Amino acid sequence: MKKKHRKCDTLEGVLMQVWKMLTRGVSHFNDPFHWPVLGTTGKNGISLRTVILRQFLLPERILVCHTDARADKVQEISNSEKVSWLFYHPKRKVQLRISGHAALHSDDQFADEQWSATKITSRLNYSTTEPPGPPIDQPSSGLPDFLLKKVPTLLESEKSRKNFMAIACRIDSMDWLILRTLGNRRARFDWDQNGLKATWLIP
């Protein structure tokens, strides 16, 4: 048996592997776990979108991504804080489904810290003159003329702070699946006031 597969022979080993994969997903932009799918519940059903994993906090089990405060998902989370995440690593053949409760941060210390750690080029995502989503007549970035085809200065980027919001989700449950030629493996992890409950599942 390959060494990397031995890590999947115990529930503790699986959990440690997951924590490492999420941690790497934060710091490596080309890692598949850097680009998870975030699911929320809206008026028309489930809404899915790819986000960037900005931070993973242990032992709190907090996943963090950023959003434009004017985006639909902000209102959806305000109405229903229960969210889902989907991660998939094609090389390792690992799928991770996570559910938890999300909190929105806009005008607090946590949001300020997240904003301070954001690259100036990334701040362009919050600099559009209109909120995300309205129809337009032709393709456009939505950026104002003074920001077209240029990197904003630090002072210019600060004007976008009002549109920035951090989403922090505490992991309540996690479904892990690894695909193998000779048989898949699956496990589930649930946290409540009594701590962690972990079990193997039929894939």
Side-chain angles (χ1 to χ4, degrees):
M1 182 180 295
K2 294 183 179 180
K3 184 176 181 180
K4 66 177 181 179
H5 283 173
R6 292 175 185 168
K7 299 177 182 179
C8 304
D9 287 342
T10 67
L11 291 167
E12 181 181 9
V14 169
L15 191 58
M16 292 301 296
Q17 181 199 63
V18 168
W19 293 160
K20 289 179 180 179
M21 292 179 72
L22 290 172
T23 299
R24 178 178 172 81
V26 172
S27 58
H28 293 71
F29 77 93
N30 59 346
D31 189 277
F33 270 35
H34 191 64
W35 308 88
V37 173
L38 175 65
T40 55
T41 303
K43 60 182 179 180
N44 296 318
I46 303 300
S47 297
L48 303 171
R49 79 283 292 162
T50 300
V51 296
I52 296 177
L53 183 62
R54 297 294 184 179
Q55 194 172 18
F56 173 55
L57 303 173
L58 281 175
E60 299 91 345
R61 308 186 316 276
I62 300 291
L63 300 172
V64 180
C65 66
H66 299 163
T67 183
D68 190 307
R70 302 165 293 175
D72 288 343
K73 60 178 169 290
V74 172
Q75 186 59 51
E76 292 170 355
I77 292 174
S78 296
N79 294 336
S80 177
E81 61 184 15
K82 188 76 171 178
V83 301
S84 297
W85 300 71
L86 175 64
F87 296 80
Y88 182 67
H89 199 296
K91 184 176 181 180
R92 297 192 180 188
K93 300 294 189 295
V94 170
Q95 174 186 272
L96 193 61
R97 293 186 295 160
I98 292 174
S99 64
H101 290 78
L104 300 171
H105 297 269
S106 58
D107 298 314
D108 57 17
Q109 182 179 349
F110 185 80
D112 290 340
E113 291 172 352
Q114 293 292 315
W115 176 255
S116 296
T118 302
K119 295 179 180 179
I120 291 181
T121 50
S122 296
R123 295 182 178 185
L124 285 173
N125 296 321
Y126 316 104
S127 301
T128 59
T129 55
E130 299 293 332
I136 52 179
D137 295 330
Q138 57 186 1
S140 171
S141 66
L143 294 172
D145 292 341
F146 76 93
L147 286 179
L148 293 178
K149 298 180 180 179
K150 62 169 289 190
V151 176
T153 64
L154 181 61
L155 181 61
E156 289 172 336
S157 73
E158 285 296 331
K159 297 178 181 179
S160 305
R161 173 64 180 86
K162 64 182 185 297
N163 297 327
F164 173 83
M165 184 173 284
I167 300 173
C169 174
R170 185 182 302 277
I171 299 174
D172 294 331
S173 65
M174 188 163 59
D175 189 300
W176 170 89
L177 174 71
I178 186 169
L179 304 177
R180 293 178 173 179
T181 304
L182 299 180
N184 306 328
R185 288 193 179 181
R186 183 181 174 192
R188 182 176 176 87
F189 303 85
D190 294 281
W191 289 266
D192 59 21
Q193 64 274 15
N194 297 317
L196 170 63
K197 178 182 178 181
T199 184
W200 296 108
L201 303 174
I202 297 294

